[in-house]
Amino acid sequence: MASPKISITISLSPETYHFSDPSPPELTITVTSKSDKPLTIFTHSTILDPHLGLFRNRFTITNLTNGLKVRQSNICIKRFPFKRIHRSSDKKYFMTIHPGVPSIVSTKFGRKVTVILNPKARRMVTVLMVCMVLSPAIATVWASSWDARAVLWIGGDGEPRMISLWLKLYIYPIKSLRAVPLSSAVLTTTGFPYDRRFMLFKIEQDGPQSERKLTRMTVTFFPQMGLFTQEVQLSQGKFAVTFTPPPNTKEEQKTLSLPLEPEFDTLEEVTVSLHGSDAKARNMGKQINDWFSSCFEWEVMLVYLPPGRTRKVLGNLAPNSATVNSNQEAAIAGQHSWFSTLTKYVPSYLQMEEVKEKDKGITFADCAPYLVVTQESLDDVTARLVTGLQADVTKFRPNIVLEGAESAYEEDYWGAVSILSESIHPVDIVLTQNCIRCQSLDIDYSTGTYARGDKGTILKKLMRDRRVDEGKKYSPVFGRYGFLVEKGDSPGALGGRVMIGDEVQVSKRNEERTKFCTYSR
């Protein structure tokens, strides 16, 4: 029996436009069946679903002046099986066309759609209408233009679907103080440089001759830490900490400058503990400690974790944990998984390599060197708040914020992501466990206290439906902990520099959510 054929006409209206025009052109696709019987076509992620087709990078835009593709923002994540059932939400992904009766689909092209294109302003493009007969294959639409053309991929699995997400990057030089946004950062096995190398401890003593006790200070239990902002001054090798007192107080704002990499040989060595994981740190000294003590109005100590010093990764968070590996290997072992199909086409350098056997330590980050969250999940939190309130992503303490997931909390099932920076070879971050959330989400940074009204109920709102980790079933989940995968013979080290706007590929997906293990030695 011969394969049924269809003709497709693709057009833009207006045919000539500038990207600086107020509105993007309309992309219209007209499908006509050449068969003598009705045909039902599955349109998901093809250009017959043009809006999602754009989102999934089924359209490739090429700049004729340099031959380079115009970067787009898109993502491809496994979802539940499709259902061809009456009144099912998946019904929209099936198109039935009748002999000789044109079916038309359209969407806005180029701007103000889910896909993000960033061509230079006033680039003029003229696309000619074209008609072709297909049996799922590839169609090319050429533009009569001085600097651009459009290539449209229709159906077929001959080209791997790359997943592009926009990045936001953060570090926290002193743990639990406010975030420092970055435009770029170097990846290392212990996290971004200067991230949580310092930590504050409250000094408690029963008397002058009694033993000194150091109590860890985190914003959950010491909400006043939200009053401190940080600013990195890389060119000077320093960072500034600014204390802004709450409104209606007589205190004045003040700033302290600190070295990013202190000379620590002469500093007192102290043993400190975070979540039962000990570290040999250095006391930053009386002058610095007195400055922080005057802000908090009790005695505190700032400690520094020198290069080469780390804490042990506890529980089942390490990349080589047996519990983690059993979940993630199951996700990619079967031939039915989308990743096993994708890797038939992806070059070997994009595939995950085995994590080296020796697990790396961490700094004063709670559980892992990296914390990854998505903008879509943050938007879901905002949607739970009263109109006008916006969820603050920095209260979730992420290092990497990704944007472009199809829905909120898709990252619950992510096992790994690959960062495809133009400046380095692909870098993999394996995502081992969920991030369990606490009351720090409810702090008002302007007052250094727990927020009043709806802003102080974020944790409660997430409790309703985000207690999805069986290992911590009484706490909500938001985000994934990650570790840099070392490749080749490079010992320890640097994964290269990543920048906001780099592409990211979800390179591994778990069949089920991971289970957080209680901290243990």
Side-chain angles (χ1 to χ4, degrees), residues 13-31:
S13 179
E15 292 182 2
T16 302
Y17 70 101
H18 292 78
F19 280 105
S20 56
D21 288 345
S23 299
E26 189 85 6
L27 173 66
T28 301
I29 301 169
T30 303
V31 186

Side-chain angles (χ1 to χ4, degrees), residues 82-92 94:
F82 292 92
K83 296 179 180 179
R84 180 73 168 112
I85 302 173
H86 182 56
R87 293 184 178 176
S88 163
S89 60
D90 288 337
K91 185 177 179 181
K92 61 185 177 183
F94 295 86

Side-chain angles (χ1 to χ4, degrees), residues 50-323:
H51 184 79
L52 188 56
L54 282 167
F55 184 74
R56 286 289 185 83
N57 203 11
R58 308 303 281 171
F59 297 76
T60 301
I61 314 302
T62 302
N63 184 346
L64 282 182
T65 61
N66 54 23
L68 298 178
K69 294 180 180 179
V70 177
R71 178 173 289 175
Q72 304 171 50
S73 174
N74 57 63
I75 186 167
C76 174
I77 302 173
K78 185 176 178 181
R79 49 152 285 162
F80 294 109
F82 292 92
K83 296 179 180 179
R84 180 73 168 112
I85 302 173
H86 182 56
R87 293 184 178 176
S88 163
S89 60
D90 288 337
K91 185 177 179 181
K92 61 185 177 183
Y93 297 126
F94 295 86
M95 172 192 290
T96 299
I97 55 177
H98 297 272
V101 180
S103 297
I104 299 175
V105 291
S106 64
T107 191
K108 298 294 182 183
F109 180 79
R111 292 181 292 127
K112 298 183 180 179
V113 291
T114 306
V115 63
I116 300 171
L117 304 179
N118 291 307
K120 294 180 180 178
R122 304 191 66 80
R123 177 173 293 159
M124 185 178 70
V125 179
T126 303
V127 176
L128 300 180
M129 221 180 301
V130 65
C131 183
M132 67 215 79
V133 176
L134 302 174
S135 99
I138 298 172
T140 303
V141 175
W142 293 87
S144 64
S145 165
W146 52 273
D147 67 355
R149 71 180 178 188
V151 181
L152 311 182
W153 299 89
I154 303 176
D157 293 319
E159 187 79 3
R161 285 182 275 180
M162 302 305 294
I163 299 158
S164 302
L165 301 170
W166 297 112
L167 291 167
K168 295 179 184 176
L169 309 172
Y170 295 98
I171 60 170
Y172 311 79
I174 299 178
K175 180 180 175 65
S176 276
L177 303 193
R178 301 273 286 277
V180 177
L182 302 176
S183 58
S184 66
V186 174
L187 288 160
T188 79
T189 55
T190 55
F192 293 140
Y194 315 121
D195 184 37
R196 285 171 271 218
R197 279 280 170 186
F198 296 85
M199 187 171 177
L200 287 161
F201 287 82
K202 183 177 182 180
I203 300 175
E204 297 179 297
Q205 282 181 288
D206 294 333
Q209 304 302 319
S210 64
E211 184 180 356
R212 179 179 64 185
K213 179 184 176 182
L214 298 179
T215 300
R216 73 177 188 268
M217 291 179 63
T218 61
V219 71
T220 304
F221 302 104
F222 297 87
Q224 302 95 323
M225 299 178 83
L227 298 172
F228 294 80
T229 57
Q230 306 180 86
E231 181 183 359
V232 170
Q233 300 155 345
L234 279 177
S235 61
Q236 302 175 39
K238 297 180 180 181
F239 71 104
V241 178
T242 299
F243 171 69
T244 303
N248 303 319
T249 63
K250 295 182 179 179
E251 296 180 84
E252 294 184 357
Q253 186 182 82
K254 52 186 176 180
T255 299
L256 175 69
S257 180
L258 292 161
L260 286 166
E261 299 181 82
E263 294 290 339
F264 59 88
D265 290 342
T266 60
L267 298 178
E268 175 195 7
E269 185 173 85
V270 291
T271 299
V272 294
S273 182
L274 176 61
H275 303 310
S277 175
D278 295 344
K280 298 285 188 182
R282 297 299 177 106
N283 179 357
M284 287 297 293
K286 185 177 186 306
Q287 182 178 356
I288 292 173
N289 293 341
D290 286 349
W291 188 89
F292 281 102
S293 297
S294 68
C295 297
F296 286 107
E297 299 182 348
W298 61 74
E299 193 175 2
V300 301
M301 179 190 295
L302 180 68
V303 303
Y304 170 65
L305 198 59
R309 297 283 183 90
T310 57
R311 295 168 42 240
K312 182 181 178 181
V313 181
L314 298 177
N316 65 344
L317 283 109
N320 292 313
S321 162
T323 304

